[in-house]
Amino acid sequence: MASAPRALLFGTAGVPFSAEDPSTLAGIERVKALGLDGQEIEFVQGVAMGLDTARKVRERAEALGVRLSVHAPYHINLNSEDPGKRLASQERLLKTARIGEACGATSAVFHAAFYGQDPPEKAYEAVRSGLRTVLSILRRERLGITLRVETMGKRAQFGSLDEVLSLCRDLEGLQPCLDFSHLHAREGKINSYSEFEQVLRKVARKLGPRALRNAHIHIAGIHYGDRGEIKHLNLGETDFRYDEWLQALRDLGVEGMVVCESPNLEADAVMLKRLYRAQGARSV
Ligand SMILES: [Zn+2]
């Protein structure tokens, strides 16, 4: 893949707070000024961006060397019992991918579904079938953007690590978005160097080593309980061992983009990038 990154890049989930205004264009400028590498454009409340703006976004990002991804609307449930809602979910994914491609984004991240009353196996079938349709349409349209199904933090949400990796094996063109905060919150585990390493080795085993050369990762501090994720926090306010996590990413040679979803956005993103670099300097 020509656009595969050769380093681990760091970006924000949405427009940095310190941007001149809350537009995506101002966000791209600010990301660059902060010394960060990328921005995920948040279509989480719906895709309101038009093609004209998308073209401007693409030009600005290319001129500044800022890497973009997009996040699909939260309002997607490929396992809804209502066929109309399943179809609308497919439409939202397609719209995200089309506008994302026009922005020059390389990845489109989405939350696939809720289990509802269904056993996980039944939900899996529904998600796989819906995604198969979406992926075949994207292929027909020759869109170069990669769909990424996210690992989810609430136990009621479809998207354990195993579900996500199985789907990516089953469906050509689908890749994972590895949200490590969600992985941690879902079970209250995965919070040590050896567990981070195990997750990454599993990804490479199931999807091939290339999956770690072009990874897309979400991170934030996280508050969780018996049912998993409760809310995002800044990393320093939580038990998440981000220093060990970064070290594992480095030691396994993970390349791609880390998107920071902490409430303080750019502050944690800059902190992580500095820490990652400092670890690199120490290990030389
Ligand atoms: Zn997400």
Side-chain angles (χ1 to χ4, degrees):
M1 208 177 291
S3 63
R6 284 190 302 274
L8 192 60
L9 308 176
F10 290 84
T12 52
V15 178
F17 292 114
S18 53
E20 205 160 281
D21 61 62
S23 69
T24 300
L25 286 170
I28 291 167
E29 302 274 354
R30 188 59 190 152
V31 158
K32 181 72 182 174
L34 286 163
L36 292 170
D37 312 296
Q39 180 178 296
E40 189 147 288
I41 303 173
E42 301 288 335
F43 293 143
V44 295
Q45 306 303 337
V47 187
M49 188 184 283
L51 276 174
D52 276 354
T53 306
R55 272 185 216 111
K56 286 183 195 140
V57 164
R58 178 182 206 129
E59 279 167 20
R60 189 77 55 92
E62 280 178 1
L64 294 178
V66 170
R67 189 178 172 87
L68 298 177
S69 53
V70 290
H71 196 304
Y74 290 143
H75 202 57
I76 282 177
N77 185 3
L78 293 164
N79 186 44
S80 172
E81 53 186 6
D82 177 343
K85 288 186 181 158
R86 292 202 298 273
L87 205 61
S89 296
Q90 291 184 13
E91 284 298 332
R92 289 189 185 105
L93 263 181
L94 286 167
K95 194 167 180 195
T96 302
R98 287 171 185 141
I99 293 289
E101 159 99 4
C103 289
T106 48
S107 294
V109 176
F110 64 99
H111 304 176
F114 289 85
Y115 299 114
Q117 301 305 314
D118 293 332
E121 303 72 33
K122 188 155 177 263
Y124 187 91
E125 291 302 323
V127 170
R128 184 170 59 181
S129 154
L131 284 178
R132 187 170 277 141
T133 304
V134 170
L135 286 162
S136 78
I137 294 171
L138 292 183
R139 257 195 301 276
R140 222 167 35 236
E141 295 182 11
R142 297 182 191 282
L143 292 189
I145 194 164
T146 303
L147 271 197
R148 296 204 181 245
V149 56
E150 183 170 332
T151 56
M152 298 308 302
K154 295 189 181 115
R155 293 192 191 179
Q157 289 171 304
F158 176 92
S160 67
L161 180 65
D162 286 337
E163 285 168 336
V164 161
L165 296 181
S166 295
L167 264 187
C168 294
R169 277 173 75 102
D170 281 356
L171 296 170
E172 169 94 34
L174 186 69
Q175 288 288 316
C177 169
L178 301 171
D179 188 316
F180 277 84
S181 312
H182 286 166
L183 289 175
H184 173 42
R186 196 170 175 103
E187 309 276 348
K189 299 178 195 153
I190 310 186
N191 195 24
S192 64
Y193 182 91
S194 66
E195 288 167 305
F196 299 137
E197 189 185 23
Q198 270 171 31
V199 168
L200 294 167
R201 288 201 189 284
K202 189 180 225 179
V203 172
R205 201 166 60 242
K206 298 265 181 181
L207 305 182
R210 249 183 55 178
L212 297 187
R213 301 287 95 75
N214 187 13
H216 193 79
I217 294 171
H218 282 175
I219 197 69
I222 199 149
H223 177 46
Y224 57 92
D226 291 344
R227 285 184 290 178
E229 175 185 7
I230 295 174
K231 65 170 181 171
H232 285 184
L233 295 169
N234 299 327
L235 280 161
E237 301 165 340
T238 65
D239 67 351
F240 190 75
R241 296 184 189 163
Y242 52 87
D243 47 348
E244 294 180 33
W245 172 73
L246 280 175
Q247 191 67 51
L249 294 179
R250 169 175 292 288
D251 291 348
L252 275 90
V254 176
E255 298 170 11
M257 180 137 99
V258 171
V259 174
C260 178
E261 296 187 317
S262 292
N264 70 16
L265 284 183
E266 63 262 45
D268 272 359
V270 167
M271 181 276 286
L272 288 172
K273 183 167 178 177
R274 284 195 185 133
L275 183 57
Y276 182 78
R277 288 200 159 175
Q279 287 176 345
R282 267 207 309 276
S283 63
V284 173

